[in-house]
Amino acid sequence: AFSEIPNSYNYDLKSSQVNILKQYFEDANIDTIWLEEYLKTSKEEYANKIGVNKDTWKNLFMALIMGGFLKDPSKVTKADLNHLRDFSILEYLLDYFENNFDKTRESYIEFYDLVKPLKDNLKDFQAYLIKEYIPSHSVYGRGKQLIYNKTGMKLNLEEYRNQRTGKFTDKFKRQLSAFVLQGHEAAFIYHLTYISQGYDFRVISNQHDGVVTIGVIPEAAIDYARVQSGLRYAELVIKDFV
């Protein structure tokens, strides 16, 4: 529908989640070598290595960096098919291979070996969020500990504590990663949308990791959104509508 509108453009944040993760890794003094190599390599190359298409690879990778559980391949059994909601990476592969367990397991092993260094980095990242990000971003009120992401959305930490031990659940570690990364991504888009009223372009659709506009977004507006959101590696690219 948008493609028929004169002077309309479909802007997308290039490699947004990977660039945001790289930024957080740098801030936490976590090795970024794996991510930097990933940014330089075509996604088709990674997909081919594990025998899937590009879209499936993207689903697997996004699930991983958003805190998806990655189980040791030697422990993956057919019984895992009964726990798909807690194991999204395996679920994507099962869908792709039409529930063929042998092919799924073979591809999963390749995926695990390929991303193992990143998996270790992500474990350090989750530890950083718990030990450093939460204490420096928490507010307290009415017996609750809350944190806010870059968009101002809040997360009630009390909902993710083990009531007996007071420790955070494993689910929270995954939820926290998504909350922080997606919030930072959205903050850039929101700042860009707000500043549009002072420039010669109009946002007609907010896509969370991109925008559809009438008119070209000037570099000055992108710089403003980059600075205000704190997303230092933000880069917009124009994509086809279909």
Side-chain angles (χ1 to χ4, degrees):
F2 289 130
S3 64
E4 300 301 319
I5 299 175
N7 198 30
S8 61
Y9 298 89
N10 181 26
Y11 284 93
D12 185 65
L13 266 173
K14 183 180 179 180
S15 302
S16 59
Q17 295 294 340
V18 182
N19 278 320
I20 296 170
L21 195 59
K22 178 187 174 184
Q23 177 173 324
Y24 275 94
F25 276 16
E26 290 174 345
D27 293 344
N29 294 315
I30 298 171
D31 189 3
T32 62
I33 291 176
W34 198 99
L35 289 177
E36 289 171 2
E37 183 62 29
Y38 183 76
L39 286 167
K40 294 186 296 184
T41 308
S42 72
K43 306 309 173 280
E44 287 87 352
E45 184 173 329
Y46 282 92
N48 291 337
K49 287 180 179 180
I50 67 170
V52 299
N53 59 26
K54 181 181 176 180
D55 287 341
T56 299
W57 166 264
K58 184 177 179 179
N59 288 335
L60 295 171
F61 185 75
M62 292 303 297
L64 176 67
I65 68 173
M66 288 299 175
F69 180 56
L70 192 66
K71 190 173 183 177
D72 187 329
S74 66
K75 299 177 182 179
V76 175
T77 68
K78 289 187 178 181
D80 288 311
L81 303 185
N82 297 321
H83 306 286
L84 293 181
R85 282 181 294 179
D86 297 324
F87 201 6
S88 58
I89 292 172
L90 179 59
E91 182 177 12
Y92 285 126
L93 286 173
L94 282 167
D95 286 344
Y96 182 80
F97 291 109
E98 298 178 338
N99 292 319
N100 183 310
F101 178 77
D102 292 332
K103 289 183 178 180
T104 295
R105 191 171 187 278
E106 180 181 346
S107 180
Y108 180 75
I109 291 172
E110 296 289 343
F111 179 75
Y112 184 91
D113 290 342
L114 193 58
V115 303
K116 180 64 165 61
L118 178 60
K119 176 180 179 292
D120 295 337
N121 293 152
L122 288 167
K123 185 177 180 180
D124 292 337
F125 173 56
Q126 289 180 340
Y128 161 79
L129 291 178
I130 297 292
K131 295 177 182 179
E132 298 187 41
Y133 184 89
I134 287 179
S136 63
H137 289 76
S138 290
V139 296
Y140 298 85
R142 298 183 180 181
K144 296 179 181 180
Q145 182 182 7
L146 308 172
I147 59 170
Y148 293 82
N149 64 17
K150 286 289 186 176
T151 62
M153 296 295 293
K154 68 181 178 181
L155 193 66
N156 182 1
L157 305 191
E158 306 310 318
E159 296 178 0
Y160 296 93
R161 293 187 192 275
N162 183 301
Q163 296 301 310
R164 182 175 59 83
T165 65
K167 295 182 178 180
F168 293 118
T169 64
D170 288 338
K171 179 182 178 181
F172 172 69
K173 295 176 182 179
R174 299 191 291 272
Q175 176 73 16
L176 181 60
S177 296
F179 179 74
V180 171
L181 296 177
Q182 290 178 334
H184 214 145
E185 175 184 62
F188 174 85
I189 297 300
Y190 293 159
H191 279 292
L192 192 66
T193 301
Y194 177 78
I195 200 64
S196 65
Q197 59 190 308
Y199 290 88
D200 193 24
F201 73 97
R202 182 159 63 94
V203 175
I204 58 175
S205 180
N206 185 312
Q207 302 292 328
H208 186 77
D209 61 348
V211 288
V212 176
T213 69
I214 295 178
V216 175
I217 302 176
E219 192 61 34
I222 297 173
D223 286 341
Y224 172 88
R226 193 181 286 131
V227 171
Q228 293 300 316
S229 67
L231 200 59
R232 56 182 177 262
Y233 294 122
E235 181 182 353
L236 285 176
V237 294
I238 297 176
K239 291 188 174 182
D240 294 334
F241 284 102
V242 291

